Amino acid sequence: MPEKILPPPAHIGIIMDGNGRWAKKHFQPRSLGHRAGAQNFRTITRYASRIGVKVLTVYAFSTENWARPAEEVGALMKLFKDYLQEALRDFMDENIRVRFIGDTSAFSSELRELIEEVKQASAPKTGMVLNLAMNYGGRAEILRGARAFAQEVLAGQHRPEELTEELFDSYLYTAGQPAPDLIIRPSGEQRVSNFLLWQCAYAEFVYFDILWPDFTTDDLDRAIAVYHSRQRRFGGV
Ligand code: IPE
Ligand code: IPE
Ligand code: MG
């Protein structure tokens, strides 16, 4: 299969959507859909690392997802705890460097401690960078960067006119990383839902009518093949 031979793009983003509908389809509570989605996250992450993806950013919880019923938010928090504990074992063997993008200060102290542990344990890793977007919103990220820069201007460390696109990039959670080349959204929705707003300027979007728990490694290969079939022009001809 030619698509298996083509190298993956350096940075892939995935909006892991459709867990709730998957649960409904199976006459199960939504929390079970999230569990199935989290399981698939591990499968796809491991595969991405093995095929040579340099950066994988997965959208796990948005700044807007707090608006869901308390029961569902609670189930998601429980799931994050379970999976971070497993990640401590799992991703360590895979040489995956785990980073967190988003405002993690909003999480419980228990979850924040786990996040710290995972960050520290995976810091020496040299393989794929896995950005876990948790309590992440593209707008919030841009505001956070703008505020940080404004503070430095106030402190006399910068002048406003020094702010370039490259410099602003360094105020984002993804500082130093290449911009996403390919963004995949399963579940049938065709929208960005506040994911990597600044970084996605020239990303290729690939949508799937597949719910996230059903998204397979073959689907990832397909998305990469579609990516290679596109002509990126970056505004040129
Ligand atoms: C994505 O699945 C997971 C999160 C947003 C946390 P959804 O829960 O949005 O699933 P659908 O869109 O309702 O099917
Ligand atoms: C986007 O999915 C967020 C995550 C997958 C974490 P949503 O289900 O929250 O997005 P909308 O509400 O359909 O736009
Ligand atoms: Mg959804």
Side-chain angles (χ1 to χ4, degrees):
M1 294 242 290
E3 65 259 35
K4 300 234 177 192
I5 297 159
L6 293 168
H11 186 170
I12 298 180
I14 305 181
I15 301 175
M16 304 190 291
D17 195 20
N19 296 346
R21 278 163 282 176
W22 185 91
K24 195 170 179 201
K25 200 173 92 183
H26 294 272
F27 307 102
Q28 298 289 340
R30 290 180 63 88
S31 58
L32 214 111
H34 292 310
R35 206 151 271 281
Q39 191 54 42
N40 200 35
F41 150 73
R42 288 170 76 190
T43 307
I44 298 295
T45 299
R46 239 184 262 127
Y47 183 71
S49 156
R50 285 177 189 171
I51 62 173
V53 174
K54 299 271 182 294
V55 184
L56 179 70
T57 303
V58 293
Y59 205 6
F61 193 83
S62 77
T63 47
E64 286 73 45
N65 287 147
W66 297 106
R68 294 186 178 201
E71 192 193 341
E72 178 165 350
V73 172
L76 280 163
M77 294 303 137
K78 164 96 178 59
L79 201 59
F80 292 152
K81 265 184 249 165
D82 293 351
Y83 272 79
L84 286 181
Q85 261 148 0
E86 286 179 37
L88 275 170
R89 294 193 299 272
D90 244 44
F91 296 148
M92 295 308 121
D93 304 335
E94 296 279 338
N95 198 22
I96 293 173
R97 209 165 354 148
V98 187
R99 310 213 13 200
F100 293 84
I101 66 169
D103 180 12
T104 52
S105 73
F107 295 128
S108 70
S109 57
E110 201 188 343
L111 191 50
R112 275 182 286 139
E113 271 166 39
L114 261 173
I115 286 172
E116 264 325 299
E117 264 184 75
V118 172
K119 267 205 284 205
Q120 280 176 20
S122 76
K125 301 290 167 187
T126 53
M128 183 179 83
V129 171
L130 171 68
N131 292 319
L132 281 173
M134 283 169 59
N135 193 23
Y136 173 87
R139 287 183 169 186
E141 179 185 36
I142 292 167
L143 280 185
R144 176 179 171 271
R147 278 195 205 107
F149 180 75
Q151 287 295 345
E152 291 178 12
V153 169
L154 277 178
Q157 291 159 335
H158 280 298
R159 282 175 291 118
E161 58 275 23
E162 282 170 16
L163 189 61
T164 58
E165 291 185 9
E166 290 70 31
L167 182 60
F168 192 64
D169 224 62
S170 71
Y171 289 86
L172 301 178
Y173 291 118
T174 51
Q177 301 178 358
D181 306 287
L182 166 64
I183 292 182
I184 300 169
R185 182 162 192 162
S187 92
E189 309 301 347
Q190 302 197 356
R191 55 175 169 259
V192 73
S193 300
N194 210 4
F195 187 50
L196 301 178
L197 292 187
W198 171 275
Q199 299 88 335
C200 79
Y202 276 101
E204 295 294 329
F205 281 82
V206 177
Y207 300 101
F208 282 87
D209 272 324
I210 297 168
L211 303 169
W212 170 247
D214 292 331
F215 186 89
T216 64
T217 54
D218 281 345
D219 293 323
L220 184 59
D221 284 340
R222 256 172 234 127
I224 293 169
V226 171
Y227 168 81
H228 281 292
S229 75
R230 303 260 179 95
Q231 195 202 351
R232 300 180 82 187
R233 282 192 286 275
F234 299 98
V237 286

